[in-house]
Amino acid sequence: QVQLVESGGGSVQPGGSLRLSCTASGATSHIYAMGWFRRSPGTEPAGVSCTSNSDGSTYYADSVKGRFTISRDDAKNTVILQMNNLKPEDTDLYYCAADFAQGSSRHFCRYGMDYRGKGTLVTVSS
């Protein structure tokens, strides 16, 4: 089992930045993949950015390429999502996720991960 706790959400104006942080605890030595997903009420979760240690890959959704950066520190069991040049359409609940399986980051962002946090709200509005 893995527990994930996010922080760093909030409200910003368009063009602003936020830094989301996620810390994992529990069976962290088994984690291969970590990433960030977003979800609006009544919709399926969507992968924003994912990383996988099994193949060293990183994936970004097209909508965030060039604006968001994911980073990971396995020694600290953390994954960070730096969000720059935020747009109103980025508004959503963002949650951190982790998985023990091996696979590409694209796979995990498309199909999801087994463990997820409760999420942190990001609001972009003028």
Side-chain angles (χ1 to χ4, degrees):
Q1 292 286 331
V2 168
Q3 295 77 44
L4 301 165
V5 178
E6 305 96 337
S7 62
S11 296
V12 295
Q13 294 185 339
S17 297
L18 284 173
R19 182 174 181 268
L20 306 185
S21 179
C22 172
T23 300
S25 61
T28 57
S29 63
H30 297 281
I31 295 174
Y32 276 101
M34 295 190 78
W36 292 91
F37 293 75
R38 59 184 291 179
R39 185 170 188 172
S40 296
T43 67
E44 291 295 315
V48 177
S49 182
C50 299
T51 70
S52 175
N53 283 348
S54 63
D55 67 351
S57 65
T58 299
Y59 171 87
Y60 293 96
D62 287 343
S63 60
V64 306
K65 284 180 181 177
R67 300 188 298 123
F68 292 9
T69 303
I70 192 169
S71 59
R72 179 173 171 177
D73 186 338
D74 290 330
K76 296 181 180 179
N77 299 315
T78 60
V79 62
I80 304 293
L81 186 67
Q82 179 65 43
M83 312 167 75
N84 296 329
N85 190 21
L86 283 159
K87 304 176 180 180
E89 52 263 41
D90 294 321
T91 295
D92 224 334
L93 180 72
Y94 288 75
Y95 65 88
C96 173
D99 204 290
F100 293 166
Q102 298 188 46
S104 72
S105 55
R106 176 185 293 272
H107 169 87
F108 286 112
C109 258
R110 180 175 181 181
Y111 294 107
M113 300 184 187
D114 285 345
Y115 300 99
R116 62 178 64 177
K118 293 182 178 180
T120 184
L121 185 62
V122 172
T123 303
V124 186
S125 174
S126 57

